[in-house]
Amino acid sequence: MSQPMMILVRPQMGENIGAAARAMLNFGLEGMRIVDPRDGWPNPKAVAMASGAGRLLDRAGVFPDVAAAVADCQYVFATTARPRELTKPVLTPEEAMAQARAMIAKGMKVGVLFGPERTGLENDDVALANAIITVPVNPEFASLNLAQCTLLTAYEWRRQTDGAIPVPEIDLATGIEVEKLGDHYEEVLDKAGFFFPETKAVNMKLNLRSMWSRLALTRADVQTLHGILRQIIRRQG
């Protein structure tokens, strides 16, 4: 992945998928992933709207959920106009794509999440991201079409060609590695009765998942955190 992977989450209209593909190719981006499209896949309306960008749709990966779509990514941005209770770095498209280009230049895999047209990304989706991209739009009319949001992000990617933010040589964990770490801690904490009271358990687990992704853990960090938990369990046993 020498470019960020543009990940359309639960898109509802084939026309918007096709328009997003055109916006991407306008600025040289060709990596698209699609999560659980409402009208199935392939979609003839997407192909018709994509016009000359149809090859992006031909090569697009289709995934059942966001976790699977970002499993091989080491850093993920989530696009959203709504304020979230999840604590994440918030960047403009310009800042995010400068950071993405620098990371990719170091060999890292980067993904960008775009939510469904009607509701945008859910908190469970954003929890899997490392940072949030927010476009400085009119607060009284903040909703952007899926293709418009994709275009703005792709434009900023293209504009960063001549410069990038330096990123240290680090080996960040992939999405699947962070997910497995979350599974490990959630399982152990669940058995220990940490998620109490039951009415708050869902939000507690969501916040914990969000924390893991926000930390931008390295592979060494993940192994250390697994090891800490295993040693605690071993000594308690």
Side-chain angles (χ1 to χ4, degrees):
M1 288 181 2
S2 60
Q3 302 176 343
M5 188 62 63
M6 311 299 261
I7 304 168
L8 311 187
V9 179
R10 298 182 296 277
Q12 297 171 309
M13 296 179 62
E15 293 89 342
N16 284 333
I17 301 173
R22 291 184 67 173
M24 288 171 57
L25 194 56
N26 282 151
F27 297 102
L29 289 173
E30 300 196 26
M32 175 184 282
R33 293 179 178 177
I34 304 171
V35 175
D36 189 23
R38 183 191 66 182
D39 297 334
W41 196 258
N43 187 314
K45 292 182 179 179
V47 175
M49 190 66 182
S51 186
R55 69 175 185 267
L56 272 68
L57 303 180
D58 294 337
R59 296 198 296 262
V62 181
F63 296 82
D65 53 45
V66 174
V70 303
D72 63 341
C73 295
Q74 291 157 297
Y75 205 88
V76 178
F77 296 96
T79 60
T80 176
R82 292 186 287 115
R84 305 283 180 157
E85 58 269 27
L86 302 174
T87 304
K88 304 276 185 183
V90 179
L91 307 174
T92 65
E94 178 182 12
E95 293 166 337
M97 290 302 98
Q99 184 174 324
R101 184 172 287 280
M103 288 178 167
I104 290 170
K106 300 292 186 181
M108 296 164 60
K109 296 181 179 180
V110 176
V112 184
L113 301 176
F114 299 89
E117 296 89 324
R118 189 174 63 85
T119 59
L121 293 169
E122 297 178 359
N123 280 353
D124 285 347
D125 306 320
V126 179
L128 299 177
N130 302 94
I132 288 172
I133 299 175
T134 295
V135 179
V137 294
N138 177 4
E140 295 181 4
F141 191 66
S143 178
L144 286 174
N145 177 272
L146 172 60
Q148 292 173 325
C149 191
T150 306
L151 185 142
L152 283 170
T153 307
Y155 165 74
E156 290 297 347
W157 165 260
R158 186 74 173 187
R159 210 166 65 84
Q160 299 300 327
T161 299
D162 297 327
I165 298 171
V167 174
E169 295 284 354
I170 52 177
D171 186 18
L172 285 180
T174 64
I176 190 64
E177 289 167 336
V178 175
E179 182 185 2
K180 294 301 181 185
L181 176 68
D183 290 343
H184 191 184
Y185 270 78
E186 191 171 298
E187 178 185 356
V188 173
L189 291 173
D190 207 8
K191 290 179 180 177
F194 176 77
F195 300 112
F196 180 85
E198 187 175 345
T199 54
K200 295 184 178 180
V202 172
N203 281 338
M204 292 173 72
K205 291 177 180 179
L206 178 63
N207 288 332
L208 190 61
R209 294 282 177 170
S210 180
M211 182 191 74
W212 295 129
S213 60
R214 185 175 70 249
L215 292 174
L217 298 167
T218 66
R219 285 193 164 101
D221 292 334
V222 168
Q223 291 306 313
T224 298
L225 288 165
H226 277 300
I228 290 170
L229 197 56
R230 292 190 188 101
Q231 185 63 20
I232 291 172
I233 295 170
R234 190 177 296 118
R235 294 300 292 268
Q236 286 180 337

